[in-house]
Amino acid sequence: MKGRAGKDGEPRGKGGRFFGGSSKPAGSSNKAAAMKKKKQNVTRLGGGGLSLEAFANIKSTTNRNQYNPALIKKKREFYKNAKYISKYKKSLKHLSEPNDPSAVKPSEDTKEMDKSKKRNKNEKRGSNSLRELYEKKREEEEIARKEREVVAQAKKEEREKAEARRKAERVKMFKKTRSGQPVMKYRIEHLLQSMQGSN
């Protein structure tokens, strides 16, 4: 029953003898020792922890300023694109300014015609070569696929033969006489074959 005293009249509880405490009543010296021990533990473990609210606030505020790979990638792409644009503008500026006044520029019509002719030749040449490469690759893949199929078929047939042989042997091994005894003829044959195979 709770609240009853022990045999000697001592109260049962934290300070009682049943819970490993001293037989003296809990006093101010005990409390001071406990507080000192608690402080030592806190300092040993690195100080007191944060409250849940403080922890949540820190997480939410610091995440904005911390490392974010997606943002870094975006910034990098932006600067890279800006660099390309500035280079492009510089090259346009150089092309528009005449370097040599004595140099004669060909007319724009002839330039366009030359470009279109070159493009057509390259397209024809490129399309033929690409088609040839594609066809060659397709043929090679087809040959490899057929070879794989042949090998797989051979393995499958071999597996099926082995399985049929095992089933036949199993049926023979489990054969029994009228009285329920195993037929020893097949078992002895199997033992002889295994001995010959090992030699």
Side-chain angles (χ1 to χ4, degrees), residues 34 48 101 126 128 134 153 155 178:
N128 287 340
Y134 175 72
Q153 188 68 26
K155 280 185 179 178
R178 279 186 215 160

Side-chain angles (χ1 to χ4, degrees), residues 4 31 41 62 67 76 84 103 105 130 149:
R4 278 196 168 183
K31 284 183 182 177
N41 284 339
T62 55
Y67 174 75
R76 195 179 296 145
Y84 287 143
K105 288 186 179 178
L130 284 174
E149 283 179 0

